[in-house]
Amino acid sequence: MNELKLSKRLEEVVKSIPKGARIADIGSDHAYLPCYAYLQGYITEAIAGEVVEGPFQSAKDQVKKVDLENVIDVRKGNGLAVLEKGEVDCVTIAGMGGTLISTILEDGKEKLEGVTRLILQPNIGAINVRKWLLDNEWEIIDEKILEDEKRIYEIVVAERGEAKKPYGDELESGLLVGPVLRVEKNEAFVKKWTHELAHLKQIASRLSSSAQTEESKQKLARFQQEIKLIEEVLV
């Protein structure tokens, strides 16, 4: 039963769960994360939410396979709609785009009553997650960035608090690259933003040499500002 293995990125998500938490894993897929978290002693119970029928059935099968039906409740529904207020104190959402994660949080805001920690792992668009947290008074207390199977992932951990505090005087660059990550600047961080910088410079170069409509001028200015921010962070 303890042989369940997680990907490196999901292992890091689990490590951010407070010991003894009751969690909701939204978009749980095969429910690997809550099963692993329970078997490793991180959580006392879990709700695994899944909106798609196939993964929902897979999650139910997995929970049954490891004999955890009494502690992990697999529910079918969209986002946080699977929760009642006060059922959990920690929510994990992993493996989706940042825009979708933000939409799930916004649409289910009232279900977050009693939740003290959010652990969010956007595959892309982490800036959208950080903007939502900032707008809704969730303070980023930790971030991780890692390479797993040749892809780079970011994990954002937040609790209710002073949302602007982690950013200091550098809100714009903090939203883009992460207020914690930009301080640590580990190998995965440098690799990600060096690649992103080269990509943005290519786009900016094409835009600057093409016909200048008002829209393309605005796009170019936006890309140039991002380039400036990334270059300053990578120094």
Side-chain angles (χ1 to χ4, degrees):
M1 190 162 72
N2 285 291
E3 289 304 303
L4 187 62
K5 291 277 190 280
L6 279 193
S7 64
K8 192 172 161 188
R9 70 179 172 91
L10 289 183
E11 266 192 27
E12 288 301 324
V13 169
V14 170
K15 286 177 187 174
S16 294
I17 298 172
K19 284 287 175 77
R22 300 167 301 151
I23 71 163
D25 185 41
I26 304 301
S28 196
D29 200 13
H30 288 69
Y32 290 147
L33 188 152
C35 290
Y36 179 89
Y38 183 83
L39 294 171
Q40 295 296 319
Y42 282 89
I43 65 172
T44 56
E45 56 186 282
I47 294 162
E50 182 53 63
V51 70
V52 181
E53 179 63 24
F56 168 71
Q57 290 299 335
S58 295
K60 288 184 77 170
D61 292 344
Q62 174 61 33
V63 170
K64 187 175 182 180
K65 181 181 172 185
V66 291
D67 196 24
L68 294 179
E69 291 163 295
N70 59 327
V71 288
I72 299 176
D73 188 4
V74 182
R75 299 180 186 174
K76 190 176 179 186
N78 194 12
L80 299 175
V82 297
L83 296 182
E84 298 299 328
K85 287 181 191 176
E87 280 193 298
V88 299
D89 38 53
C90 177
V91 171
T92 58
I93 310 178
M96 304 180 198
T99 302
L100 179 53
I101 290 175
S102 303
T103 300
I104 286 169
L105 293 169
E106 182 62 27
D107 289 349
K109 258 200 293 202
E110 74 286 350
K111 299 293 183 73
L112 294 175
E113 198 176 297
V115 173
T116 55
R117 182 172 291 192
L118 299 174
I119 307 168
L120 311 168
Q121 185 267 297
N123 285 350
I124 55 167
I127 187 171
N128 298 303
V129 169
R130 294 189 188 101
K131 282 178 177 175
W132 186 91
L133 294 170
L134 184 69
D135 291 344
N136 289 277
E137 294 304 310
W138 286 85
E139 180 182 334
I140 293 173
I141 61 160
D142 192 23
E143 292 180 302
K144 301 174 186 180
I145 186 166
L146 66 142
E147 189 165 0
D148 185 14
E149 300 288 336
K150 298 186 178 177
R151 287 192 63 179
I152 292 176
Y153 298 98
E154 294 176 59
I155 298 165
V156 183
V157 184
E159 293 184 349
R160 296 178 191 276
E162 300 173 56
K164 288 182 181 175
K165 185 178 169 187
Y167 296 95
D169 297 326
E170 297 174 27
L171 180 62
E172 199 176 1
S173 73
L175 284 169
L176 180 63
V177 304
V180 177
L181 299 178
R182 73 174 174 204
V183 176
E184 295 177 353
K185 279 198 265 197
N186 71 9
E187 189 180 337
F189 178 90
V190 173
K191 185 173 181 178
K192 173 188 167 82
W193 289 108
T194 301
H195 180 269
E196 192 65 24
L197 181 62
H199 180 59
L200 285 171
K201 282 182 172 177
Q202 279 185 339
I203 297 170
S205 175
R206 284 201 298 271
L207 275 174
S208 61
S209 61
S210 61
Q212 292 288 293
T213 62
E214 193 53 42
E215 186 186 4
S216 65
K217 282 180 186 175
Q218 286 174 1
K219 270 187 185 174
L220 179 60
R222 192 170 75 247
F223 288 133
Q224 286 172 334
Q225 176 61 9
E226 280 193 21
I227 287 166
K228 180 171 172 284
L229 291 170
I230 296 166
E231 284 178 335
E232 286 171 357
V233 167
L234 286 176
V235 168

